[in-house]
Amino acid sequence: MSKNLYVTTAIPYVNGAPHIGHALDYLLADVYARYQKEQGNTVRFQAGTDEHGNKIFDKALAAGIPVEQYVTENSDKFREFITSLGVTPTDFIRTTSADHARRVQMIWEKLAPHIYSADYEGWYCSGCESFITDKEYEENQGICPDHQKPYERLSEKNYYLRIADFKDQIKEAIEKDQLQILPEFRKREVLKLLADSPDVSISRPKKNLSWGIPVPGDDSQVMYVWLDALSNYLTVLGYPEQDISDYWPADVQIVGKDILRFHAIIWPTILLALGLPLPKVILSHGYILANGQKMSKSIGNVVDPLEILGKYGLDPFRYFFLRHIDTFNDSDFTWDKFDAAYSGELANDLGNLVQRLAVLDSKNDVTINYEKVAEDFSEYYQLMDSFEFSKAFDYAWSKIKDLNKDINDAEPWKVAKADSEKAKEILEKLTVRLLNYTELLKPFLTDTSKKIFDIFQNPITIPNPLFPKA
Ligand code: MSP
């Protein structure tokens, strides 16, 4: 039976242009969406931009651009970036939109029974837009390891959300995998953080944070960006003004490992306080490193995805970032690795295979009677269903490699000399296998899979090389 599914992606801060690290959320969500649509399901796919907070405001100020213009320009860059990855979300939300702001204020009012006000005296990292406990402060010796900036000391009145009201319920949901945290090894980290988590501040005084959504009923306070941002997953569906039960709870929410804590503690608290069910899965992916290091402007190793896309094109980009960047663990990008994957794997394993078969098929007047799935691909489906996307891609690729070997072993060009009917039969079987494997590649290599199906229509056409020498 066809299902309605909902996949979400983290909404990036618009304090700069997209870099390769931002690609992963979209690509993973896209693979999921395409795979599910293939099975006949309807997929709602949210993306958007996180546009409030001091970090962004200060950047606009430094650039000398009105903040509204600054966030619009950067939000547009992300939107274009998503399109350039061959990704088509059904919804794109901006947290500065009027619909979002109004709905977040309504959410705030619904949360009121779990909100109290108190003085905050402690640390803050504006890079993370996160309040820092004394313990974290000590562990990191006063400097944010992610942003290499000293923590700020705050002394201010805030509103707090009572995490304590829901801790036990969240803990149980995570332990029982009702809220499944993937990968499994992150679950323990999350449970530990949850156990230690104090109530969270969800507002800041306007004098310290002006660029944000006003707290209803208190002119002096503005909402903390994470409350504003997390709510996007609901407001984009129209909540609380519209019925969201067709799509909520989300089937999978995709986030980077650095923001899992917000999604596994504050977010479930908000949902439970609203009386809403928890998402089914939170998939936390690893980090993309550049030459083995975290990308950072100060090191100067930030890789521009548009440069890769411009040089190599879309499917090579999708190939590298979906197969060689592990879905769950940190992985490294270097131009050399990318180039090796392009020439050694895409061009060699797949491009040449297609070329060879197309030439042999047309020489031998092969016609293709293609019926889907002649082999048992249950391993692939199991991997896809458990969100092990890079492993599923590896599996599909191993089939392509097997096929290369089998062509070499079968030597249809030799057979053709002695027995043309026999050669035809062999080639048809090999080609049908290629098409079956291409089905498995569809969610990953979107253009290439279409091209391959086009080539092996009857009559078969001989293409230009799919992956020419770069
Ligand atoms: N605005 C918040 C998210 C709010 S979601 C309600 C945020 N923005 S971000 O721009 O810093 O990050 C956006 C996404 O990109 C996150 O999922 C983050 O983990 C991911 N990545 C940013 N750099 C990355 C890498 N180098 N590698 C992989 N993903 C990384 O956090």
Side-chain angles (χ1 to χ4, degrees):
M1 220 189 59
S2 159
K3 289 181 279 189
N4 284 338
L5 302 171
Y6 183 33
V7 55
T8 73
T9 53
I11 51 172
Y13 296 120
V14 287
N15 61 335
H19 58 65
I20 52 170
H22 292 119
L24 222 42
D25 279 317
Y26 306 126
L27 290 181
L28 296 174
D30 185 59
V31 166
Y32 173 81
R34 286 177 193 271
Y35 172 69
Q36 292 297 341
K37 282 192 262 182
E38 283 287 321
Q39 332 266 312
N41 296 318
T42 303
V43 182
R44 186 108 182 217
F45 176 171
Q46 157 281 9
T49 40
D50 188 355
E51 304 188 11
H52 287 128
N54 281 343
K55 176 160 72 170
I56 291 166
F57 189 82
D58 292 347
K59 272 290 190 83
L61 210 61
I65 301 174
V67 65
E68 292 82 0
Q69 183 189 334
Y70 179 80
V71 295
T72 301
E73 284 173 8
N74 278 332
S75 176
D76 287 347
K77 284 186 196 155
F78 275 93
R79 210 193 288 243
E80 285 159 22
F81 175 52
I82 294 173
T83 308
S84 71
L85 295 174
V87 175
T88 47
T90 54
D91 301 84
F92 188 92
I93 182 164
R94 297 183 55 187
T95 57
T96 51
S97 71
D99 280 348
H100 174 75
R102 185 180 65 252
R103 288 170 186 161
V104 177
Q105 288 184 320
M106 294 166 83
I107 288 175
W108 179 286
E109 280 164 348
K110 282 175 174 281
L111 294 175
H114 304 281
I115 295 176
Y116 61 92
S117 86
D119 291 324
Y120 177 74
E121 167 82 47
W123 302 101
Y124 193 79
C125 171
S126 62
C128 303
E129 295 287 14
S130 180
F131 296 88
I132 304 297
T133 61
D134 288 341
K135 197 172 149 204
E136 283 169 313
Y137 180 87
E138 272 163 36
E139 278 168 7
N140 298 325
Q141 295 170 333
I143 293 168
C144 172
D146 287 336
H147 298 93
Q148 298 304 325
K149 267 188 6 192
Y151 295 125
E152 297 161 50
R153 185 78 186 166
L154 302 184
S155 172
E156 56 185 42
K157 179 194 142 182
N158 291 174
Y159 285 105
Y160 282 83
L161 182 64
R162 229 183 249 113
I163 302 276
D165 289 354
F166 300 100
K167 252 191 198 178
D168 293 345
Q169 229 178 310
I170 299 171
K171 178 169 176 265
E172 193 183 333
I174 294 177
E175 278 171 349
K176 291 190 173 157
D177 283 343
Q178 288 152 350
L179 164 56
Q180 194 183 3
I181 306 282
L182 288 177
E184 185 73 21
F185 67 80
R186 295 253 173 249
K187 195 160 115 178
R188 282 186 299 276
E189 286 171 27
V190 160
L191 286 170
K192 180 152 186 350
L193 281 171
L194 177 70
D196 293 343
S197 175
D199 289 345
V200 291
S201 170
I202 52 167
S203 77
R204 312 261 335 255
K206 207 185 227 164
K207 62 178 173 23
N208 295 337
L209 170 70
S210 58
W211 182 238
I213 300 176
V215 168
D218 186 342
D219 282 349
S220 70
Q221 294 271 320
V222 165
M223 286 184 209
Y224 172 45
V225 273
W226 271 100
L227 179 77
D228 165 357
L230 288 163
S231 301
N232 95 85
Y233 303 127
L234 297 175
T235 60
V236 75
L237 299 177
Y239 184 87
E241 296 172 317
Q242 289 165 29
D243 175 17
I244 59 167
S245 56
D246 278 350
Y247 289 99
W248 192 264
D251 294 274
V252 55
Q253 302 206 259
I254 296 176
V255 301
K257 65 174 186 180
D258 55 324
I259 57 170
L260 176 61
R261 55 162 63 196
F262 298 96
H263 286 81
I265 300 172
I266 309 183
W267 180 225
T269 304
I270 295 172
L271 290 167
L272 292 174
L274 294 171
L276 291 172
L278 300 179
K280 293 178 194 160
V281 174
I282 298 181
L283 185 166
S284 140
H285 59 74
Y287 249 54
I288 299 175
L289 308 172
N291 283 311
Q293 273 182 310
K294 198 175 169 208
M295 277 183 288
S296 104
K297 286 206 182 110
S298 50
I299 303 177
N301 64 345
V302 180
V303 182
D304 177 2
L306 300 179
E307 192 184 342
I308 308 176
L309 284 162
K311 274 195 188 144
Y312 289 90
L314 178 58
D315 273 356
F317 188 99
R318 293 178 63 103
Y319 177 79
F320 187 85
F321 287 93
L322 286 165
R323 179 154 183 246
H324 290 292
I325 301 293
D326 185 275
T327 305
F328 296 120
N329 294 294
D330 291 356
S331 314
D332 198 24
F333 168 89
T334 69
W335 284 99
D336 284 349
K337 282 185 187 170
F338 191 96
D339 197 57
Y342 180 84
S343 332
E345 298 167 14
L346 266 179
N348 222 7
D349 298 343
L350 185 60
N352 286 351
L353 170 68
V354 169
Q355 198 79 17
R356 258 170 115 191
L357 271 180
V359 170
L360 285 165
D361 284 355
S362 28
K363 260 198 195 155
N364 292 282
D365 293 323
V366 174
T367 46
I368 302 299
N369 299 305
Y370 174 54
E371 277 177 48
K372 264 193 205 176
V373 184
E375 288 183 49
D376 173 13
F377 294 131
S378 50
E379 190 177 334
Y380 171 86
Y381 291 104
Q382 261 163 27
L383 290 168
M384 291 297 274
D385 290 337
S386 49
F387 304 93
E388 293 274 6
F389 298 134
S390 53
K391 288 211 174 83
F393 200 172
D394 278 344
Y395 173 87
W397 209 262
S398 73
K399 294 285 162 192
I400 296 288
K401 295 192 93 148
D402 290 350
L403 187 54
N404 271 305
K405 186 174 176 303
D406 293 347
I407 295 179
N408 289 342
D409 292 348
E411 300 184 312
W413 51 90
K414 276 197 190 155
V415 178
K417 286 184 194 150
D419 183 345
S420 66
E421 280 312 304
K422 178 99 181 126
K424 265 190 180 177
E425 212 178 284
I426 295 173
L427 284 167
E428 191 198 338
K429 278 202 182 122
L430 293 167
T431 309
V432 167
R433 278 175 62 196
L434 171 65
L435 296 180
N436 277 336
Y437 305 153
T438 304
E439 296 283 350
L440 309 184
L441 295 176
K442 264 187 185 173
F444 302 99
L445 302 180
T446 51
D447 287 353
T448 306
S449 53
K450 272 195 213 99
K451 279 190 197 155
I452 296 175
F453 283 114
D454 286 347
I455 292 165
F456 294 98
Q457 301 280 346
N458 300 318
I460 289 160
T461 45
I462 298 173
N464 293 325
L466 292 183
F467 304 103
K469 281 212 167 66

